[in-house]
Amino acid sequence: RRQKKTASHAVTELENTKDGSQAGKPLFCPSHPTEELRLFCEQCDQPVCRDCVVDRHRQHPYDFTGNVIHRHGDALRELLKSTQQHMGTLEDVLGQIDDMGSAVRSRAEAVATEICLFASGYVKAIEEHRERMLKQLEDLKVQKENLLHLQKAQLQQLLLDMRTGVEFTERLLTSGSDLEILITKGVVASRLAKLNSVAYNTHPSVDNGIQFSPQERAGQCCGYEVFGAILNKVVDPARCTLHGEDLHSARQNQLTGFTLLCNDTTGQRMGRGGEAVRVTITHKDKRDCAVKPTVCDNGDGTYHVSYNPEEPGLYAVCIYVKGQHVQGSPFTLMVKNKFREHQGVFHCCTFCSSGGQKAARCACGGTMPGGYQGCGHGHKGHPGCPHWSCCGQVKESSECLGGPPSDSSQRSLLRTVVL
C-alpha cells in the first residue's frame, strides 16, 4: 500500500483466493477505475473498458469478453496440453539422467578397480621382466669375463713358455761353449719353432657390444606384453653382404634395386634394424651427376636399396654401414639405355609356322581375309614356339630388337613347322 503504483489496488488475503478465481466479481480498468473491463481488444490482445475503446484503442477491432473467451481459452488449453506433455517428457529425462548418473558412478568404480588390477599386474610384470633382464645381463657379463679369463690364461702360459725359451736360448748363446750350443741346437730350435707356430688371437676374444633396446618387443610376461631387450650382437660392416639379381647393371628410367644383409662379428644375421646405412651412386664420367637412392629398413637386419637412374653410363656405388664399406663395396654399375618395348604380340604365328595352311588355327583367335583361321603378323623367322611378332624374340620379358621385316625377307624365312 505504500507503493504509488499499487496504492489504489484492492488487496485480499491469500486464504480467500484458494479457489484461484474471481468469478462473479467485476474487474475494473486500471486506467479508468470506475469502468468495468468487459471488452477485449484483438489488436492489443488485452481486456479494455468502454473509455479505452474511445480513447487509446480507437479503431482497434474488439469484442465482448464473453464472445472471445472460448477461442482464447481453447488456444490456452492447446498450449497447456503441449506444455504438460513436455513436462512429462522432461520428468522422464530427468529420471533417466539420475539413473544414468548412478550407472556412470557404478561403472567408473568398476573400471577404476579394473585399472588398479591391470596396473598392479603390469607393474609386477615389468618388475619381473626387469629382474629377468638383469639376470640375463649378469649371465652375459660372466660369460664374457670367463672367455676373457680363459684367453688371458692361455696367453699368459704361452708368454711364460716363450720367456723361458728365450731366456734359455740367450743364456746358451752367451754362456755356453761351441760344443754345448751345437749339442742343444736341435732341441732349442725345435722348441722355439713350436712356440712360434702357436696360433693366438691378437685381439680380445669378446667385445663390449652389450646394448639395451627399450623399443624391442620382449614377448609376454605374466600375461602382459613387455618391451625392452638386451642386444649382444654388433654389426660388422666387413661381414655385411649384398644380394640382387643383377647388381652391376640397370636400365635408364627403370626402378631397380638390391638388398643389404647385415651380419654381426660372427657372421650371423643381426635380426633387427636401426643401423646407420648410407648409399651413394655417382656417375664416373659426368660431373654433378648422381642418383639419389632410397634405403628402406625392413626391421629384420635387411635393407632394401632402390634407385631410378636417369642418365646412362658407368656409375660407382658405395654402401656404408657405420661409416665403413660393406663387403663388395664399392662396385661399378652400368646403366644401359632405356628399355625398348615390343610393339607386336607375343604368341605363335600359326599362318607362318604352318607354311600358310588355310586350316591352321591360332590360339590368339586372329583371322585373315579369305577364311584363314591363323594370323599373319610379320617377324624374323617362325621358330614354332611363342615369340614376339615384331622382332621374333622368343623370351617374353626381353627387349625389342627392331620392327617387323619386309614381306620379301619374311617369305624367304618361311618354313614348315609341325604344330
Side-chain angles (χ1 to χ4, degrees):
R1 292 186 181 277
R2 291 193 298 268
Q3 296 294 331
K4 182 178 180 181
K5 290 184 178 182
T6 58
S8 60
H9 288 192
V11 180
T12 182
E13 295 291 339
L14 288 176
E15 297 295 334
N16 300 331
T17 60
K18 282 186 177 180
D19 56 354
S21 68
Q22 297 290 334
K25 296 181 180 181
L27 295 177
F28 296 94
C29 179
S31 300
H32 309 93
T34 59
E35 292 293 332
E36 188 178 351
L37 296 173
R38 294 183 176 181
L39 303 174
F40 186 80
C41 179
E42 296 288 352
Q43 181 172 335
C44 298
D45 196 28
Q46 67 179 24
V48 295
C49 66
R50 291 182 301 175
D51 291 347
C52 291
V53 171
V54 177
D55 187 11
R56 289 185 304 165
H57 298 271
R58 183 182 302 173
Q59 297 181 350
H60 289 187
Y62 65 92
D63 200 350
F64 286 100
T65 56
N67 297 335
V68 299
I69 185 59
H70 298 291
R71 177 162 49 84
H72 290 280
D74 293 341
L76 285 175
R77 291 186 187 90
E78 291 296 329
L79 290 175
L80 175 62
K81 183 179 179 181
S82 176
T83 305
Q84 290 174 342
Q85 292 177 352
H86 284 297
M87 289 175 59
T89 303
L90 289 173
E91 291 175 353
D92 294 340
V93 173
L94 289 174
Q96 294 177 9
I97 289 175
D98 292 337
D99 296 339
M100 185 57 67
S102 301
V104 167
R105 287 189 293 272
S106 301
R107 185 58 187 160
E109 293 175 359
V111 172
T113 303
E114 293 179 6
I115 291 175
C116 292
L117 291 175
F118 172 81
S120 60
Y122 208 172
V123 170
K124 182 180 178 181
I126 292 175
E127 291 177 348
E128 184 173 332
H129 181 53
R130 177 193 61 191
E131 298 301 324
R132 187 169 60 186
M133 286 191 296
L134 292 176
K135 178 65 168 54
Q136 181 183 357
L137 178 62
E138 181 66 21
D139 294 342
L140 183 60
K141 183 194 74 171
V142 171
Q143 178 185 0
K144 287 180 176 290
E145 288 179 343
N146 290 338
L147 291 175
L148 291 174
H149 290 161
L150 177 61
Q151 183 185 16
K152 183 178 179 180
Q154 292 174 347
L155 293 180
Q156 285 177 342
Q157 183 63 43
L158 179 61
L159 178 61
L160 179 61
D161 294 342
M162 287 185 175
R163 184 176 287 117
T164 303
V166 168
E167 290 176 354
F168 178 82
T169 305
E170 288 178 347
R171 189 167 57 250
L172 175 65
L173 292 175
T174 56
S175 304
S177 62
D178 296 342
L179 183 60
E180 292 175 339
I181 295 175
L182 293 175
I183 292 175
T184 59
K185 177 184 74 69
V187 177
V188 173
S190 175
R191 177 61 175 169
L192 292 179
K194 185 177 180 180
L195 291 174
N196 289 331
S197 63
V198 175
Y200 58 91
N201 194 354
T202 58
H203 300 282
S205 58
V206 297
D207 52 38
N208 62 344
I210 304 176
Q211 298 178 358
F212 173 69
S213 176
Q215 296 85 11
E216 196 83 11
R217 293 181 179 271
Q220 288 195 348
C221 185
C222 300
Y224 295 86
E225 186 175 5
V226 292
F227 293 83
I230 297 176
L231 306 178
N232 186 30
K233 292 183 177 182
V234 178
V235 65
D236 186 358
R239 294 182 179 271
C240 298
T241 55
L242 302 173
H243 302 271
E245 292 185 0
D246 198 350
L247 291 173
H248 302 281
S249 65
R251 285 281 181 179
Q252 179 186 6
N253 294 330
Q254 183 175 345
L255 184 65
T256 185
F258 55 88
T259 300
L260 169 65
L261 176 59
C262 289
N263 298 318
D264 63 3
T265 54
T266 62
Q268 295 181 352
R269 184 169 170 176
M270 290 295 295
R272 57 180 175 84
E275 302 296 340
V277 178
R278 186 169 64 92
V279 181
T280 60
I281 305 176
T282 55
H283 203 290
K284 283 194 171 184
D285 298 329
K286 295 183 179 181
R287 183 178 296 179
D288 299 330
C289 181
V291 179
K292 186 177 180 181
T294 301
V295 181
C296 179
D297 187 351
N298 297 324
D300 57 355
T302 63
Y303 301 81
H304 183 70
V305 181
S306 58
Y307 58 94
N308 188 359
E310 297 181 356
E311 294 289 336
L314 196 62
Y315 288 80
V317 183
C318 299
I319 301 95
Y320 304 92
V321 174
K322 291 185 175 181
Q324 302 180 29
H325 283 282
V326 301
Q327 187 179 138
S329 174
F331 63 88
T332 57
L333 170 69
M334 173 57 70
V335 177
K336 302 178 183 179
N337 289 323
K338 187 177 180 181
F339 190 86
R340 185 161 48 181
E341 297 181 356
H342 292 278
Q343 302 298 322
V345 181
F346 185 74
H347 71 157
C348 182
C349 178
T350 55
F351 177 72
C352 300
S353 59
S354 65
Q357 295 182 10
K358 185 175 182 179
R361 291 183 177 273
C362 184
C364 71
T367 59
M368 291 183 62
Y372 290 90
Q373 300 299 315
C375 53
H377 296 288
H379 57 81
K380 296 179 179 179
H382 33 76
C385 62
H387 55 273
W388 285 102
S389 61
C390 49
C391 63
Q393 284 274 64
V394 296
K395 188 177 179 181
E396 185 173 4
S397 57
S398 61
E399 184 179 9
C400 186
L401 300 179
S406 61
D407 293 341
S408 59
S409 62
Q410 182 178 352
R411 285 195 298 268
S412 64
L413 294 173
L414 286 179
R415 62 181 179 178
T416 301
V417 179
V418 179
L419 299 179

